[in-house]
Amino acid sequence: MTLYRRLGGADAVARVVDLLYDRALADELVGPLFAGVDMARLRAHQTDFLIAAIGGPERYEGAGLRAAHSHLRVDDARFDRMVQLLAEVLADAGIDPALADDVLGRVSRLRVAVVASV
Ligand code: HEM
């Protein structure tokens, strides 16, 4: 069974993404980076992106990760904070710790595409 199926499919991923951005917007370190962003569009794109990243259907039509983040100059501290917020959301959503670790591992491997190279 794919990680996508074990996590509960599209609805479960959409709920996790929603909770993640609710926390990210309220976070003093990463929140300011979302100023002026169409959050409804970002939540939808992020959901499609994560669904594909964990073995679900390929529906993502947004920009590549590097292109989507290059103007933001994301540093390692902000990347770590987003991963930490995702870990908290997965735990609070009652996701099995082994499944959560699998999701966090896959997301963490995307650091090189998101974090600005000097
Ligand atoms: C592995 C981690 C991450 C993934 C998988 C990810 C994924 C995405 C995706 C799929 C988009 C949408 C691109 C589009 O609509 O074409 C996006 C946009 C965005 N991401 Fe990330 N992201 C990650 C980490 C971060 C971090 C650490 C930050 C900031 C702290 C961040 C801030 C943003 C912002 C502000 C946008 C909107 C850009 C804009 O529309 O101007 N992301 N991200």
Side-chain angles (χ1 to χ4, degrees):
M1 271 243 284
T2 62
L3 181 52
Y4 169 68
R5 286 261 156 263
R6 288 184 288 144
L7 206 65
D11 292 348
V13 176
R15 202 164 83 77
V16 165
V17 168
D18 261 354
L19 292 170
L20 173 64
Y21 282 124
D22 290 349
R23 293 195 192 188
L25 294 174
D27 184 87
E28 62 190 19
L29 187 63
V30 297
L33 275 80
F34 296 92
V37 171
D38 176 346
M39 289 309 299
R41 180 176 176 274
L42 180 52
R43 288 173 195 258
H45 275 190
Q46 180 69 279
T47 299
D48 287 346
F49 182 90
L50 272 182
I51 286 173
I54 62 174
E58 294 278 353
R59 299 193 302 220
Y60 179 67
E61 294 175 348
L65 285 191
R66 199 177 294 281
H69 296 90
S70 56
H71 64 294
L72 300 167
R73 310 299 301 161
V74 176
D75 59 12
D76 282 305
R78 286 174 177 77
F79 186 90
D80 293 342
R81 177 61 57 83
M82 283 293 275
V83 174
Q84 179 202 338
L85 292 174
L86 179 57
E88 290 168 10
V89 164
L90 291 169
D92 292 354
I95 303 290
D96 170 76
L99 271 185
D101 281 351
D102 206 341
V103 173
L104 295 166
R106 295 192 191 194
V107 166
S108 299
R109 284 196 287 277
L110 301 169
R111 180 188 298 270
V112 63
V114 172
V115 171
S117 48
V118 284

